[in-house]
């Protein structure tokens, strides 16, 4: 196979992979973020402590996470067809990709949120903050660098899942590698796909790590310590003037 024949295949495959991974990541973050926070809130000692709810959510997450993606994808065939009208193609692949990534991302979110300093939570509560305020003003901002790293890890995992989705005609780089590289013995095309995936993952990992480091420094983790203020975001630690002190605390 010549380069002129491979180029359109690779171009379309790259776009299909980007499309599937992009939408799946978006859905995983939108659903997985509150799910991970809820696991922390309902755990023992959490703000919404509920042993039954925590156990049910945790078991559901564990069951989906433990299932091999290829099995999950086949098991969801009927559900996928009901959601998007077909079980073949890149739109159909988004459904199992997202469902497989949601519990994976939720567990990473849970780990990130658990690392937040509980002293900040107590400070917000002592100032009259409710559960939503703690989530919005403490959990998410304080764990943001870790959440960026978790998102990066999830994207890389979804790229791997999308390659497996090619086995059922979902398109993308995995489909090209299987149909042309493996089944038609086009070794050159196979190695080009491997190289493209390796470069894409390296770029994504670098971008995610860089963003996490920048946010880490801005949050004061790697330098000057910061003080949290309920309605004013973050303030550099140090003497606070009377003008900067809330009237109710004077």
């Amino acid at each position: 196979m010549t380069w002129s024949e491979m180029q359109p295949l690779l171009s379309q495959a790259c776009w299909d992979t980007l499309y599937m991974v992009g939408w799946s990541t978006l859905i995983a973050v939108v659903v997985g973020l509150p799910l991970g926070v809820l696991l922390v809130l309902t755990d023992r000692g959490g703000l919404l402590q509920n042993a039954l709810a925590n156990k049910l959510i945790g078991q559901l997450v564990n069951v989906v996470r433990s299932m091999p993606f290829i099995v999950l994808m086949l098991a969801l065939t009927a559900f996928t067809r009901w959601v998007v009208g077909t079980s073949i193609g890149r739109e159909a692949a988004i459904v199992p990709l997202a469902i497989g990534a949601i519990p994976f991302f939720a567990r990473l979110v849970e780990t990130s949120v658990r690392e937040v300093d509980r002293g900040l939570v107590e400070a917000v509560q002592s100032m009259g903050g409710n559960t939503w305020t703690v989530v919005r003003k403490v959990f998410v901002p304080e764990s943001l660098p870790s959440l960026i790293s978790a998102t990066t890890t999830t994207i890389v995992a979804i790229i791997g899942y999308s390659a497996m989705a090619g086995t059922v005609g979902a398109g993308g780089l995995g489909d090209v590698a299987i149909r042309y590289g493996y089944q038609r013995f086009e070794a050159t095309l196979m190695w080009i796909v491997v190289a493209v995936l390796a470069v894409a993952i390296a770029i994504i990992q670098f971008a995610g790590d860089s963003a996490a480091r920048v946010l880490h420094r801005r949050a004061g983790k790697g330098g000057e310590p910061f003080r949290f203020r309920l309605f004013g975001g973050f303030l550099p630690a140090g003497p606070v003037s009377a003008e900067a002190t809330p009237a109710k605390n004077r």
Side-chain angles (χ1 to χ4, degrees):
M1 182 178 288
T2 64
W3 173 248
S4 60
E5 294 173 320
M6 289 189 289
Q7 187 175 9
L9 286 174
L10 290 171
S11 299
Q12 184 61 45
C14 287
W15 168 246
D16 289 343
T17 298
L18 180 63
Y19 182 86
M20 291 187 292
V21 172
W23 278 107
S24 301
T25 302
L26 178 62
I27 296 171
V29 171
V30 169
V31 179
L33 179 60
L35 189 61
V37 173
L38 191 60
L39 283 169
V40 176
L41 292 175
T42 57
D43 199 7
R44 181 180 300 176
L47 301 180
L48 299 176
Q49 180 175 330
N50 188 316
L52 178 60
N54 185 267
K55 187 172 183 179
L56 289 175
I57 297 172
Q59 287 298 326
L60 178 62
V61 167
N62 291 337
V63 167
V64 179
R65 280 188 64 199
S66 64
M67 193 175 299
F69 178 72
I70 189 69
V71 175
L72 177 66
M73 184 170 53
L74 295 175
L76 291 173
T77 299
F79 178 74
T80 300
R81 189 180 296 112
W82 177 74
V83 173
V84 298
T86 180
S87 59
I88 299 175
R90 63 183 190 181
E91 283 78 15
I94 292 173
V95 177
L97 283 172
I99 292 177
I102 286 171
F104 180 82
F105 183 69
R107 283 300 186 189
L108 295 177
V109 171
E110 181 187 11
T111 301
S112 299
V113 173
R114 287 190 189 280
E115 295 175 354
V116 174
D117 185 2
R118 294 297 149 180
L120 294 176
V121 176
E122 294 173 1
V124 172
Q125 289 180 307
S126 67
M127 297 174 68
N130 56 21
T131 301
W132 169 242
T133 303
V134 171
V135 172
R136 187 166 56 95
K137 291 291 188 177
V138 179
F139 283 167
V140 174
E142 284 292 306
S143 61
L144 194 55
S146 295
L147 292 177
I148 294 296
S149 297
T151 303
T152 303
T153 303
T154 302
I155 293 173
V156 173
I158 293 176
I159 291 176
Y161 293 162
S162 70
M164 286 186 280
T167 60
V168 293
L173 291 168
D175 182 52
V176 170
I178 293 168
R179 283 200 296 138
Y180 294 90
Y182 177 73
Q183 294 178 349
R184 300 187 185 184
F185 304 102
E186 293 286 349
T188 302
L189 182 58
M190 171 74 79
W191 285 110
I192 291 175
V193 170
V194 171
V196 170
L197 287 172
V199 171
I201 289 174
I203 292 174
I204 292 169
Q205 192 67 57
F206 175 78
D209 292 344
S210 299
R213 282 195 297 268
V214 170
L215 290 171
H216 201 71
R217 288 195 296 268
R218 288 185 178 180
K221 305 283 186 181
E224 185 78 6
F226 276 64
R227 176 184 288 114
F228 182 85
R229 189 176 64 182
L230 181 58
F231 297 106
F234 293 91
L235 291 175
V240 181
S241 63
E243 290 76 15
T245 306
K248 66 178 183 180
N249 291 336
R250 295 180 188 172

